Amino acid sequence: MIRQFIRYAIIGTINTGLDFGMYAALTRGFDFWREHYLVANALVFVTVVTWSFFWNKHWTFKNREQKHKIQYAKFVLATLGGIAISEGILFVGVDILGIHDILSKVIAGPLVMIWNFSAYRFWAFKTVRVVQNGLV
């Protein structure tokens, strides 16, 4: 599980770079995307989540099941759960406790990382193994 977590962290670091890089390239390089930055952000999100799904499925968790659509839906839901946790912590930190927004994001980061890893490992990519006498 430690190897999986390290691989997950590597993918997460690359995801963050892709997210910021693609968003900056679109919104700073094209007038259309600069004006429609929310659409640009959504497009980047879908692209990065799809890239993350592929690499986490095949490299982090080494999942070979062919249930791609179901797993992708679970992966996106788990990721949205992580976003909800992050947004909640950011809101409570800033608006209720008066904490600086960056500090609130720093607090949220590890919690979201643990949430996403657990949801991916134990739900989205959970493998049911069949043995001779039934399910394991």
Side-chain angles (χ1 to χ4, degrees):
M1 187 157 74
I2 291 172
R3 264 191 213 130
Q4 284 181 337
F5 190 79
I6 291 169
R7 288 181 180 155
Y8 164 77
I10 290 168
I11 297 299
T13 301
I14 294 168
N15 287 347
T16 301
L18 284 171
D19 183 61
F20 280 91
M22 290 171 61
Y23 178 80
L26 286 174
T27 59
R28 302 314 184 264
F30 301 93
D31 290 335
F32 175 84
W33 293 114
R34 186 174 302 123
E35 291 177 30
H36 300 92
Y37 66 94
L38 292 176
V39 178
N41 192 55
L43 178 65
V44 169
F45 175 80
V46 169
T47 303
V48 172
V49 165
T50 301
W51 184 93
S52 179
F53 169 79
F54 176 83
W55 285 103
N56 276 300
K57 176 177 174 59
H58 296 288
W59 187 58
T60 302
F61 300 106
K62 298 189 183 295
N63 184 283
R64 303 294 180 240
E65 295 177 315
Q66 297 299 310
K67 302 183 297 184
H68 304 297
K69 291 178 184 177
I70 292 169
Q71 288 176 326
Y72 184 75
K74 288 180 175 182
F75 189 87
V76 170
L77 287 173
T79 302
L80 291 174
I83 290 169
I85 291 168
S86 179
E87 292 283 305
I89 292 170
L90 191 60
F91 174 77
V92 169
V94 173
D95 289 348
I96 295 175
L97 301 176
I99 298 172
H100 193 276
D101 64 328
I102 299 299
L103 179 57
S104 294
K105 285 183 71 63
V106 167
I107 292 167
L111 298 173
V112 171
M113 180 183 261
I114 290 166
W115 161 265
N116 283 348
F117 177 78
S118 298
Y120 299 159
R121 185 173 196 273
F122 298 112
W123 186 52
F125 299 123
K126 181 180 180 181
T127 302
V128 177
R129 296 190 179 124
V130 178
V131 294
Q132 291 177 338
N133 298 331
L135 296 176
V136 174

